[in-house]
Amino acid sequence: MSSTSYTLVVQAPLLSASPLAAVAELSGAAEIERVSDSVARLYGADPARRADILAYCEQHGLDAAFVPSGQRFADFGLVVSDMDSTLITIECIDEIADMVGVKHLVAEVTERSMRGELDFTASLKERVALLAGLEESALETVYRERVRLSPGVETLLAACKANDVRFMLVSGGFTFFTERLKEELGLDYAFANVLEVANGKLTGRVKGDIVDAAAKARLLIEVRQQLGLAPEQVIAMGDGANDLKMLAEAGIGVAYKAKPVVRAQADVAICHVGLDGVVNLFE
């Protein structure tokens, strides 16, 4: 940590006094501000004790993060989010695969890919190939019956609109879902892969360039530059290894209910509260 002053933000679905007091003592905080039943801000906490604090919080079901003191949500201009298992609770490709009875095969590959054990592009092509022959109408069924927003999305999007912060959805998934979410939620940007369709059925191929880890980072940079923003004015959120390059390009990279490799490298890890926890980080 630099000479910048930091505030320790602690969150939980219900933040009890006892573990909060323990965090305060562990961190050497001089003051506790209870923001709500689920959020507290600790002033004077020592960032050098971050590893011990995070270890304690993980054991006790708390989310904790050091953020620059005085930083407001309105100081940002862009929030960039992954889709699957971040903005929404499912992996769309796994649910599409369920329509052709191969969910168990696809979900295993998805999990390994998100942990960083497989090349994303190769694994995506492998999974999409298993969907060949599926009626395109099955995608609408998945969207209507299985896509659910992650907790706290509405609060996050309302904060973006209230503070003139743009919201960008960038996904290694598919435009069928990102475009519908963009329209339904009023998002500013959406980028994803295009499933090839012929005669009303999936061909088992992806059209055009694949949105992989490098593409996610590139798209973030392009939109950031279009908006005239500095890197520190961007928040990026994701859960899988293919989000790491994107998170690294943001002022604050948030690992949301993420794989261990992502939690280890992100600036902030949110595991217990919803995406409203991103808003609660700031004053």
Side-chain angles (χ1 to χ4, degrees), residues 57-68:
C57 289
E58 186 172 344
Q59 290 174 3
H60 292 82
L62 311 175
D63 290 324
F66 280 96
V67 295

Side-chain angles (χ1 to χ4, degrees), residues 3 5 45 60-61 64-65 68 72 89-90 99 110 122 125 132 151 180 185 198 219 231 275 283:
S3 58
S5 172
H60 292 82
R72 302 169 305 143
T89 59
I90 65 167
M99 299 289 166
T110 300
K125 289 179 177 178
R180 281 160 176 76
L185 300 175
L219 288 162
L275 285 176
E283 295 181 11

Side-chain angles (χ1 to χ4, degrees), residues 10 12 14-25 42 56-57 60-62:
V10 182
L14 183 60
L15 186 55
S16 301
S18 179
L20 181 58
V23 173
E25 183 175 357
L42 279 61
Y56 176 88
C57 289
H60 292 82
L62 311 175

